[in-house]
Amino acid sequence: MSKPTFESLCVHEHPWQLTTRPQQLPLFATSSFAFESIDQGMAIFQKKAEGDVYSRYGNPTVTAVEKKLAALAAWGSDQPASALLTGSGMSAISTLLCSLLKAGDSVLTQGNLYGGTTELFVKVLSGFGITPLFTDLRNLDAVEEQLKRNPTIRMVYGETPSNPTLSCIDLEGLASIGRKAGVVTVVDNTFCTPYLQRPLGYGIDYEIHSTTKYLNGHGNSIAGAIITHRCEELREKVWTTMKLMGTTAPPFDAWLLNIGLKTLPLRIRKHAENAEAIAKWLEGHPGVIHVNATSLPSHPDHELASRQMDLPCGMLSFELKGGLEAGIRFMNALNFCSLAPTLGDTETLVLHPATMSHLNVERAVRAANGITDGLIRLSVGIEQWEDIAADLDQALAKSTL
Ligand SMILES: *Cc1c(COP(=O)(O)O)cnc(C)c1O
């Protein structure tokens, strides 16, 4: 073959190969993978050989992070787990539900889910004939009764601790009821991460994450994860849905997530320590009516949380005196903490649900889920806790003016 022209030399990838293994996971920013021969391509497409094809199906950066997440979720168990990384926490949820449910099925869930999840169930999935049924998943007798009465329920979907009052579900109890009734159990473990709580270990079938939050931890990537011991179902059914709905995670977000994962235990321990200190401090503050934190013996689920979580999580909420107006004055007075509608970053983030995340929710529905007008939610960061407390203290003083 004649030598390529200057122009063509520029266009083609110049031959390259690894001589030694990169110490850090490389970012494979490529949409497709070239085959050595048509035979190799055919073998891969027929699933007779392993190999990447197209990054919507799989990508080495994404696969490496999936394997790490699966190992973390299965830590302490002899059973292997598998994970899929998706483009967001929401796409993890929609991909899983579209994989396992069909028109005519119902999903039994709770009223105080992450707002986006409730909206997905009510506004999108119900249009495809998948009905959400809302109940209190802490009441296991009632859950068992509903599963017996209603054969259309094919899945129980929970979140523990839940937003923003940190109420908890008994994972072992829920898993056992689900197994007996032959329905799949799913738990969104975003608030805890597998470092604090491992739902698969309690017999829950699927664990969901918005890795956007604590797992990445630095607020610079969006992705989600589906993790399970049902490796074959994940590889066949769920992977096919993900591939065809196009909900795969981009390699760059996976690569950022991998960096965040390296410090997960260090960060989570500091989040937990700070949240515990702040909760105690707030409970003794004259401007505060009530604090919701599982670390406090005053929390109704304190014992359950101490049993199924290794440490308290970094989330808490508190009710300040003076209702809505005081809440608004408090938020405007903060200057060290950020007003941001996310959680799990290294920085302390503050949210006023009544005027932010739950503004469009009716007051009565809000109240039924413990979201009162003066409720403030904190995602306690990893700063020095005294700096966080000092900012809350001066803002609390201004809230009562
Ligand atoms: C943020 C969040 C989600 C949605 O995740 P995205 O990554 O924003 O799509 C789902 N569940 C919980 C508990 C969350 O906090």
Side-chain angles (χ1 to χ4, degrees), residues 88-91 93 114 117 159 188 190-191 210-213 222-223 343:
S88 65
M90 290 312 301
S91 64
I93 302 166
Y114 173 73
T117 309
E159 233 171 75
D188 182 330
T190 299
F191 273 29
S210 166
T211 67
T212 312
K213 314 294 170 54
I222 288 198
L343 58 103

Side-chain angles (χ1 to χ4, degrees), residues 75-193:
W75 190 81
S77 151
D78 299 330
Q79 263 183 292
S82 299
L84 286 176
L85 203 63
T86 57
S88 65
M90 290 312 301
S91 64
I93 302 166
S94 57
T95 301
L96 184 65
L97 269 77
C98 289
S99 302
L100 302 183
L101 300 177
K102 59 182 187 326
D105 289 345
S106 305
V107 50
L108 188 65
T109 187
Q110 64 200 54
N112 52 349
L113 288 171
Y114 173 73
T117 309
T118 307
E119 280 193 67
L120 171 73
F121 288 0
V122 172
K123 294 185 179 165
V124 181
L125 293 176
S126 64
F128 293 95
I130 297 166
T131 308
L133 303 172
F134 296 97
T135 191
D136 182 356
L137 294 182
R138 283 176 306 173
N139 186 345
L140 292 180
D141 291 337
V143 170
E144 193 162 22
E145 194 48 43
Q146 289 183 72
L147 293 183
K148 265 189 207 143
R149 255 202 340 257
N150 186 346
T152 71
I153 300 172
R154 301 305 311 149
M155 177 186 284
V156 181
Y157 184 102
E159 233 171 75
T160 180
S162 70
N163 198 8
T165 57
L166 288 306
S167 72
C168 299
I169 305 166
D170 179 347
L171 290 172
E172 200 164 15
L174 190 72
S176 138
I177 288 172
R179 205 165 34 242
K180 253 191 271 168
V183 306
V184 60
T185 47
V186 182
V187 165
D188 182 330
N189 200 29
T190 299
F191 273 29
C192 283
T193 80

Side-chain angles (χ1 to χ4, degrees), residues 202-217:
Y202 294 108
I204 295 293
D205 297 317
Y206 281 90
E207 177 172 339
I208 289 279
H209 286 278
S210 166
T211 67
T212 312
K213 314 294 170 54
Y214 288 103
L215 286 171
N216 169 277

Side-chain angles (χ1 to χ4, degrees), residues 28 38 59 66 73-74 105 127 133 186 189 195 197 235 247 258 279 285 287 303 313 350 365 373 376 383 400:
F28 285 93
I38 188 66
N59 170 288
E66 287 173 338
D105 289 345
L133 303 172
V186 182
N189 200 29
Y195 184 60
Q197 174 174 276
R235 199 169 47 239
T247 47
N258 186 59
H285 197 287
E303 266 181 46
C313 72
V350 190
V365 177
D373 288 346
I376 303 292
E383 305 97 332
T400 52

